[in-house]
Amino acid sequence: MSVARRAEPVRSDAPNEVLHADVLLEQRFPADPCQLRDLRSQLRGCLDALAIEHSVRERLVLAVDEACCNIVRHAYGSGRTGPIDIRLTHTNGLLSFELTDAAPCVDPARIKPKPLGECRAGGFGVALIEAVMDDWHIEPQANGCGNRLLMRKRVATINEKKASRPT
Amino acid sequence: MTNDTANSASTTAAREASVGAGMDTSLIRLSGEVDMAWTADVRRAILDAVANAEKIDAIGVELSQVSYIDSSGIAALVEGLQGAREKERRFVLIAVSGAVRAVLELARLDRVFTLVDGCDGFTIVAERSLSAPA
């Protein structure tokens, strides 16, 4: 496993403006439920470094955890395993969580959130991701093997909190 | 206090007043992080308690020491609730930690379950404690 923090140039929506994405976490781990506690701990550390509010942090950790569980349970499925790559970046208040796997490609049209609040034993994962994140989408990898899930959330960063405080 | 908050508090108080007193209860205490790696054990314990509920009134799951729960853990609780309903027994979540309450609220299931503050009033006839593997 590896953890990296570095700045990468990314194009903004404004012409001729280049923002820098801070890579907060980048690592590969096996698609194994026993790996997820360590991942959650690392995510909390990264988000705490941005001074993100505790309740928001925990929701984000839950959403990423649910996404990983779905990769383990549904993408790889019973009896199969493989790698999961996570990449967490922060660009001007926007957190991007990118998860890629090497599982058989899934049909994005079949991955839809079910309504929350229903008393059913399962099927909450995508709905929780939908509830937590500002947007998300999943697509097959270009090489025809694996999937890429991108989840994004705009958050108040430590600098924005300082700026909003009355002087 | 907003009207919604006041209504929620009074609803919770009403529900709490109706459970606990004199109920023979099978209690499961959970601690640690309830996630996909551990859920199978938690689910089995809950369903065992439901399966052996002939001589009790309620199954209680004490959650004060649960620091994290994912949707698989919530699903295990829902299965317990459904099983208890089929047997006409109460299924109660006791001393729910802030971490669990937040996920229940996010999943909009906080009003599906009966939540109580503590074990006071319950007659604990069987008790089992499970801790997440280190």
Side-chain angles (χ1 to χ4, degrees):
Chain A
M1 290 187 176
S2 63
V3 180
R5 288 197 64 161
R6 64 175 188 273
E8 288 184 347
V10 294
R11 190 171 299 281
S12 85
D13 293 335
N16 303 321
E17 183 183 3
V18 175
L19 302 174
H20 285 274
D22 196 9
V23 180
L24 305 178
L25 178 65
E26 191 169 37
Q27 72 176 42
R28 169 173 289 191
F29 57 95
D32 178 343
C34 295
Q35 300 288 323
L36 298 182
R37 185 164 62 172
D38 184 48
L39 175 66
R40 294 194 298 269
S41 176
Q42 292 194 58
L43 284 170
R44 289 185 181 107
C46 293
L47 299 174
D48 282 346
L50 294 174
I52 291 171
E53 185 184 340
H54 175 86
S55 62
V56 176
R57 182 197 76 176
E58 285 304 298
R59 284 182 171 210
L60 291 168
V61 168
L62 175 69
V64 175
D65 190 46
E66 294 293 339
C68 292
C69 288
N70 281 348
I71 292 172
V72 173
R73 184 182 293 118
H74 301 299
Y76 284 112
S78 178
R80 282 188 306 218
T81 188
I84 299 175
D85 291 289
I86 184 167
R87 191 167 187 271
L88 166 57
T89 61
H90 173 238
T91 310
N92 200 29
L94 182 67
L95 290 170
S96 297
F97 304 84
E98 182 183 30
L99 293 170
T100 54
D101 62 58
C105 294
V106 299
D107 178 2
R110 297 185 63 181
I111 301 176
K112 293 178 180 173
K114 296 176 182 172
L116 292 171
E118 293 181 350
C119 190
R120 64 173 188 275
F124 298 109
V126 177
L128 292 175
I129 292 169
E130 170 101 348
V132 170
M133 296 293 177
D134 292 341
D135 58 71
W136 63 276
H137 78 272
I138 187 167
E139 60 191 10
Q141 297 223 58
N143 61 6
C145 175
N147 307 281
R148 173 180 177 268
L149 171 65
L150 180 64
M151 302 176 287
R152 301 193 303 175
K153 178 73 173 179
R154 184 160 292 283
V155 293
T157 65
I158 189 168
N159 290 335
E160 289 171 340
K161 288 173 186 170
K162 283 179 182 173
S164 67
R165 282 186 197 137
T167 54
Chain B
M1 184 181 284
T2 65
N3 284 342
D4 282 350
T5 306
N7 289 340
S8 174
S10 63
T11 302
T12 302
R15 286 189 299 191
E16 288 180 359
S18 65
V19 296
M23 283 188 171
D24 286 348
T25 302
S26 177
L27 181 67
I28 299 166
R29 294 184 190 272
L30 302 179
S31 63
E33 300 193 11
V34 183
D35 67 0
M36 187 182 177
W38 188 39
T39 296
D41 293 341
V42 171
R43 177 178 178 273
R44 192 174 305 117
I46 290 172
L47 295 184
D48 282 351
V50 172
N52 295 306
E54 282 76 14
K55 295 180 179 177
I56 59 171
D57 302 306
I59 298 100
V61 183
E62 206 271 357
L63 297 160
S64 66
Q65 300 303 308
V66 173
S67 55
Y68 178 82
I69 191 166
D70 71 2
S71 67
S72 67
I74 297 295
L77 297 176
V78 169
E79 276 194 86
L81 173 64
Q82 291 171 332
R85 281 178 176 170
E86 286 175 11
K87 291 200 160 196
E88 299 182 336
R89 300 292 186 273
R90 301 299 298 264
F91 188 86
V92 185
L93 304 184
I94 300 168
V96 175
S97 67
V100 176
R101 187 180 292 270
V103 179
L104 287 173
E105 290 175 353
L106 185 63
R108 299 179 195 163
L109 291 172
D110 51 313
R111 289 173 182 249
V112 170
F113 288 99
T114 300
L115 311 180
V116 300
D117 288 340
C119 295
D120 290 351
F122 290 94
T123 303
I124 310 300
V125 296
E127 184 170 344
R128 185 173 176 194
S129 296
L130 287 85
S131 297

